[in-house]
Amino acid sequence: MSQLQDSFGRKFHYLRMSVTDVCNFKCSYCLPDGYHPDGKPKFLSLNEIENLVSAFSQVGTQKIRITGGEPTLRKDFTDIIRVVADNPRIHTIATTTNGYRLEKHAKEWFDAGLRRINVSVDSLDPKMFYQITGENKFDEVMRGIDAALSAGFERVKINAVLLKGLNDKDLPRFLHWIKNTPIDLRFIELMETGLGREYFEAHHLAGADIKAQLLADGWQLDTPSADDGPAQNFSRSDYQGRIGLIMPYATNFCASCNRLRVSAKGKLHLCLFTESGVDLRDLLQHSSQQAELIERLHGQLAQKKATHYLHQGITGVTQHLASIGG
């Protein structure tokens, strides 16, 4: 089967697959009022996930990140990892989590086939962590990160959304942490979502400012790898950890896009800030539907836009980053 490719020549080997919308944190930039179900949602089953992974693997997908909501809230999360790991075409299995179950289950997930893990830690100050996330679980999450490092994961990354007036003073503390700890610290520039312009204007901090500070402090911009996508990574010889910046407002941010998203209810999203999703679920019921599903995927890629329209304030239907595995 031919590689998924859009009309701009971008090839897509990375799938972010949401398995639930549910989250138990109340992060101010994502779910400030907590999760509220719309009726009784029916998320993708193990069988549907297996068929989805199979189809994507046949058209060049080599990396799958299991996302949410909070994906580890699913009781069958370990089984989901195994389903993905059983596909020999998938070379990298990752997840993004708030880390609250990590201390107890890190080794179990590793043994099931999970190899990379991103943990959201928006502040190393327990009080600020609570203010941003709405949960007093800082120590629990940090113990989980230690458990992930001990379990042998190929890569442990820490995600922190930059928030002016909240965690913008945390950079020295983060740098001190990765001096002797082999983790990747990724600062994510706040994006305007359905939360509205007021929150964005109050807390947006330009990633370009952090980049300038890093370069001035002796950090070197690394040569990008195929896995990096739009992330810019920095390293220093005297630090065990690395820093990555995700700056969606940077020039040509979308030029290196290599990922697609499928929501927990089976909709394909060509962009995080898409106007709509394309339903795939009707073609996820039986393995005999693979050819038709692959044909639909190729057809949709032809419609992918060159870039998002965040600069014009167009955020699509994304009400919060959890809705399609942001």
Side-chain angles (χ1 to χ4, degrees), residues 25-30 97-98 119-134 138 141-142 145 158-163 166-171 173-174 177 185-188 190 199 321:
F25 278 27
K26 299 182 286 292
C27 295
S28 61
Y29 54 82
C30 184
T97 174
N98 59 30
V119 186
S120 297
V121 182
D122 291 309
S123 178
L124 294 179
D125 177 352
K127 292 182 179 179
M128 181 55 65
F129 180 93
Y130 173 73
Q131 183 176 340
I132 294 173
T133 66
F138 175 78
V141 171
M142 296 303 287
I145 293 168
I158 305 302
N159 289 348
V161 177
L162 295 171
L163 298 167
L166 293 173
N167 63 4
D168 52 336
K169 300 295 192 295
D170 266 20
L171 183 59
R173 194 176 300 195
F174 275 118
W177 185 29
L185 174 62
R186 289 158 63 93
F187 289 119
I188 303 170
L190 180 67
Y199 184 92
L321 296 180

Side-chain angles (χ1 to χ4, degrees), residues 101-133:
R101 296 186 68 201
L102 191 53
E103 181 182 11
K104 182 177 179 180
H105 296 283
K107 186 64 165 61
E108 173 190 330
W109 298 337
F110 180 84
D111 290 344
L114 191 67
R115 287 297 177 266
R116 297 184 182 184
I117 193 160
N118 287 31
V119 186
S120 297
V121 182
D122 291 309
S123 178
L124 294 179
D125 177 352
K127 292 182 179 179
M128 181 55 65
F129 180 93
Y130 173 73
Q131 183 176 340
I132 294 173
T133 66

Side-chain angles (χ1 to χ4, degrees), residues 257-299:
C257 182
N258 61 359
R259 65 200 64 191
L260 298 169
R261 289 173 167 81
V262 172
S263 74
K265 297 178 185 177
K267 285 193 173 185
L268 172 68
H269 292 266
L270 300 176
C271 175
L272 176 60
F273 295 95
T274 187
E275 286 295 336
S276 60
V278 178
D279 196 8
L280 303 179
R281 202 161 197 175
D282 59 312
L283 299 179
L284 298 178
Q285 305 312 306
H286 305 285
S287 58
S288 61
Q289 299 174 292
Q290 293 279 287
E292 189 177 354
L293 175 56
I294 288 170
E295 183 180 359
R296 186 176 294 178
L297 293 177
H298 278 295

Side-chain angles (χ1 to χ4, degrees), residues 62-79:
Q62 298 179 358
K63 176 180 178 180
I64 290 182
R65 179 173 297 278
I66 305 168
T67 69
E70 172 50 44
T72 68
L73 286 173
R74 281 196 50 155
K75 295 179 180 179
D76 59 352
F77 181 67
T78 303
D79 295 326

Side-chain angles (χ1 to χ4, degrees), residues 14 21 26 29 32-33 47 57 60 67 76 98 110 139-140 182-183 189-190 225 295 303-304 310 319 321:
Y14 177 10
D21 289 348
K26 299 182 286 292
Y29 54 82
D33 299 320
N47 177 67
S57 74
T67 69
D76 59 352
N98 59 30
F110 180 84
D139 291 338
E140 189 175 340
I183 57 176
E189 185 174 358
L190 180 67
S225 68
E295 183 180 359
Q303 301 179 42
K304 184 170 172 62
L310 285 175
Q319 293 304 305
L321 296 180

